[in-house]
Amino acid sequence: MQQKRILTLRGEDKPKPRKQVFADLTEQIKEWQKDNSEIVLCLDANADLLDTEFQDLIRKTDLIDLMSKQLGADLPETYVRGKKTIDHIFGSPRLEDSIEHAGYLAFNDGI
């Protein structure tokens, strides 16, 4: 509610905080990339890769899924009673060869 209120105060008629977070994050990552920074984005997105805002962020920033590069495309569900992977680690493509091991711990223990 706090984010919705802030967006409303900024003049948004129908604020969508989740969409705004992805848009803001995309712009920030692009700024860092202009400075040739390497990016590692660990994200409890509460969204799978089919989420349109999430896909837009990945497409616009050219980040890669570092977990699937190590573990394959069939990643496990990452929440209790879940069927989808909603916790992700994305990064700059140049980081892919730097990763030696990857995996998931039990629920709520991390990635």
Side-chain angles (χ1 to χ4, degrees):
M1 286 306 286
Q2 182 179 8
Q3 293 86 357
K4 190 172 184 176
R5 183 171 182 269
I6 289 170
L7 292 172
T8 301
L9 291 172
R10 289 184 186 168
E12 300 271 342
D13 289 335
K14 295 181 180 179
K16 296 182 179 173
R18 179 178 176 73
K19 186 174 185 175
Q20 189 64 50
V21 165
F22 277 110
D24 292 345
L25 186 56
T26 299
E27 291 307 310
Q28 183 61 61
I29 290 170
K30 289 168 73 175
E31 284 296 315
W32 288 328
Q33 288 171 327
K34 284 180 190 174
D35 294 333
N36 293 317
S37 296
E38 300 295 345
I39 308 297
V40 175
L41 177 64
C42 302
L43 193 62
D44 181 353
N46 289 331
D48 69 0
L49 294 177
L50 299 178
D51 180 89
T52 54
E53 281 91 15
F54 196 17
Q55 284 182 351
D56 198 41
L57 178 147
I58 300 308
R59 184 178 46 77
K60 288 181 178 178
T61 60
D62 295 320
L63 298 179
I64 62 170
D65 186 341
L66 296 173
M67 294 301 285
S68 70
K69 293 290 184 181
Q70 285 290 309
L71 304 174
D74 191 23
L75 297 174
E77 64 275 357
T78 56
Y79 63 106
V80 178
R81 297 180 309 277
K83 303 272 190 238
K84 300 177 182 178
T85 304
I86 62 170
D87 301 323
H88 309 277
I89 299 180
F90 284 85
S92 301
R94 289 183 289 200
L95 298 176
E96 181 181 357
D97 293 334
S98 301
I99 300 170
E100 295 181 10
H101 304 284
Y104 289 89
L105 300 173
F107 293 108
N108 298 319
D109 287 343
I111 296 178

